[in-house]
Amino acid sequence: MFVRSLGRFGATPRAFIKPQLLRSVPIGVRFNSSQSTPPPPPNETDLKAKILMIFGALAVGSSIGAWYFKDKEEPKSAFEPKRSPAFADNKISVIFVLGGPGAGKGTQCAKLVNEQGFVHLSAGDLLRAEQQRPGSKYGELIALYIKEGTIVPQEITIALLEQAIKDQYSQGAVRFLVDGFPRKMDQALTFEEQIAKSSFTLFFECPESVMLERLLQRGKTSGRTDDNIESIKKRFKTFIDTSMPVVDHFEKQGKVVKVRCDQPVDDVYTKVKEALVSKGIN
Ligand SMILES: Nc1ncnc2c1ncn2[C@@H]1O[C@H](COP(=O)(O)OP(=O)(O)O)[C@@H](O)[C@H]1O
Ligand SMILES: O=c1ccn([C@@H]2O[C@H](COP(=O)(O)OP(=O)(O)O)[C@@H](O)[C@H]2O)c(=O)[nH]1
């Protein structure tokens, strides 16, 4: 109500200025060039008094308006628009895949794609592709966030994911593994509100020492700007401080299945399949 009042009165005080008041302002610049001599300068005390009168009228007008409208609601449409996700009513199923950097999310997702017909969307891959897309206005920004191991503003990542899901959906895909996302609470809430509810989160638990070793190893060939010790330390910190609260959030809803991943790839995969079965996915 307060904000609405400001919008109504604060932005349009002119509605309360009487036209005759405007006309009576002795504006010195309003000088008729047909006059041979400029009119005498207005008396200063007179000028001040009139300016004060205008401000007074404005204040009184605003107060009267505010009082008049104070109990009146803005007219409501008969049909209040309902905010619902782009993919409501279980049109698609989305599994979030989370875990620390280097936990093996991408590796396991790739196996699920081959064997179970999921579409794998890695938020990190989408961001890296956007970063490299010629003409992207977000390229530099994304590069900076990735190197620093921080989370790219959600608007960018969610727009990329939404586009990718829509593209795939139009080709018939309905089962999605959304890998490395959501990494921050705002992303989790926005995605579920605007795109689709997640079925559950597959969370990979892995000791930091194992992840560090894997990332350093990956860094020898990945060409990634963040697979180096400085960036890795920052990524670990972001994971604990910013991403773990997301896992806790979904856990409270009973929507997390955890899998330990400090074992050989195929052993981890066996447990991944068991985890999916426990959630009704075969
Ligand atoms: N279970 C595993 N055992 C050993 N190495 C693994 C395992 N899973 C993944 N890796 C390797 O560790 C690195 C990180 O895996 P990746 O799937 O890219 O992790 P994430 O997507 O979580 O960052 C890759 O080089 C991958 O080959
Ligand atoms: O939703 C996301 C996912 C990824 N990233 C950025 O992309 C980087 C790499 O993420 P990716 O999932 O590719 O790699 P991982 O850290 O899991 O190995 C992260 O550190 C973030 O800087 C992001 O900002 N938002």
Side-chain angles (χ1 to χ4, degrees):
M1 180 65 194
F2 176 66
V3 175
R4 238 186 280 139
S5 302
L6 276 181
R8 198 180 267 150
F9 305 116
T12 54
R14 256 174 297 151
F16 296 100
I17 304 174
K18 293 212 173 91
Q20 59 269 36
L21 264 180
L22 270 180
R23 252 182 272 124
S24 69
V25 182
I27 308 166
V29 290
R30 213 199 289 147
F31 165 57
N32 182 350
S33 58
S34 66
Q35 286 174 318
S36 51
T37 50
N43 172 323
E44 209 181 305
T45 328
D46 240 29
L47 187 63
K48 277 187 188 153
K50 284 183 179 166
I51 288 173
L52 276 176
M53 263 177 62
I54 292 173
F55 279 118
L58 273 176
V60 172
S62 295
S63 309
I64 293 171
W67 172 81
Y68 177 74
F69 284 106
K70 78 178 185 321
D71 293 323
K72 291 192 166 44
E73 284 294 312
E74 278 181 358
K76 278 194 182 125
S77 146
F79 303 97
E80 284 284 299
K82 188 173 160 282
R83 267 192 91 78
S84 53
F87 295 95
D89 309 324
N90 301 324
K91 278 203 187 86
I92 59 172
S93 75
V94 170
I95 299 173
F96 291 143
V97 182
L98 291 176
K105 304 181 290 294
T107 303
Q108 295 299 325
C109 284
K111 290 181 80 70
L112 284 170
V113 168
N114 286 338
E115 290 187 20
Q116 307 240 3
F118 278 98
V119 168
H120 173 210
L121 297 175
S122 154
D125 285 350
L126 289 171
L127 286 167
R128 281 182 287 274
E130 175 63 20
Q131 182 201 326
Q132 277 151 23
R133 188 174 62 81
S136 168
K137 56 180 175 181
Y138 302 117
E140 280 179 30
L141 180 143
I142 293 172
L144 190 69
Y145 275 81
I146 288 183
K147 190 148 192 300
E148 287 304 308
T150 46
I151 309 303
V152 172
Q154 62 160 342
E155 291 76 10
I156 299 174
T157 315
I158 290 180
L160 291 171
L161 276 172
E162 181 171 13
Q163 192 56 54
I165 291 174
K166 285 184 172 164
D167 287 351
Q168 292 288 338
Y169 181 74
S170 68
Q171 293 168 43
V174 290
R175 300 210 308 177
F176 295 90
L177 297 168
V178 176
D179 164 12
F181 178 97
R183 277 173 135 100
K184 197 173 173 181
M185 271 313 295
D186 64 347
Q187 292 179 329
L189 299 175
T190 308
F191 185 93
E192 291 214 316
E193 188 183 299
Q194 293 181 7
I195 318 285
K197 287 263 175 218
S198 63
S199 306
F200 62 92
T201 294
L202 181 60
F203 178 65
F204 288 106
E205 287 182 302
C206 201
E208 208 169 275
S209 55
V210 174
M211 296 193 287
L212 174 65
E213 199 183 313
R214 287 182 186 173
L215 289 173
L216 290 174
Q217 192 62 30
R218 187 175 75 182
K220 291 179 184 164
T221 53
S222 68
R224 281 177 51 163
T225 55
D226 58 348
D227 279 349
N228 57 72
I229 191 67
E230 293 80 28
S231 295
I232 291 169
K233 280 185 192 157
K234 293 175 183 169
R235 290 158 71 196
F236 283 162
K237 182 166 168 30
T238 302
F239 169 63
I240 299 295
D241 296 347
T242 312
S243 305
M244 276 312 289
V246 176
V247 180
D248 296 341
H249 166 76
F250 286 124
E251 196 157 29
K252 281 188 202 125
Q253 301 176 2
K255 283 179 35 173
V256 176
V257 230
K258 297 185 177 180
V259 170
R260 276 200 72 105
C261 56
D262 52 344
Q263 281 151 19
V265 172
D266 287 338
D267 293 0
V268 177
Y269 187 58
T270 302
K271 284 191 273 164
V272 166
K273 284 192 290 188
E274 285 168 11
L276 262 53
V277 169
S278 78
K279 287 285 177 187
I281 294 176
N282 294 297

